[in-house]
Amino acid sequence: MNLIITLIVYLVVFGLIWWLVAMLPLPAPVAQIVRVLFIILLILIILSVFGIIPGGYLPHLNL
């Protein structure tokens, strides 16, 4: 249960950051690079929450 809550919190924060960055007036090539970096970060967050890769860089949530 704690795993699901942690994943939901991370995804909500990630979505808010994605939305704020999407509001910036970036040129097309820069926006494409930022979009790819966000997708890679999303994959890393999901893999680290499920323990597939070590996620020492992510803060632990104690609920």
Side-chain angles (χ1 to χ4, degrees), residues 14-62:
F14 180 80
L16 288 174
I17 293 171
W18 184 315
W19 176 70
L20 288 173
V21 170
M23 302 271 298
L24 293 173
L26 298 173
V30 175
Q32 184 73 20
I33 292 171
V34 169
R35 188 177 304 125
V36 169
L37 290 176
F38 266 100
I39 291 171
I40 291 171
L41 182 63
L42 177 65
I43 292 169
L44 288 176
I45 288 173
I46 292 173
L47 291 178
S48 66
V49 165
F50 286 112
I52 297 172
I53 60 171
Y57 54 89
L58 291 174
H60 295 284
L61 299 174
N62 296 325

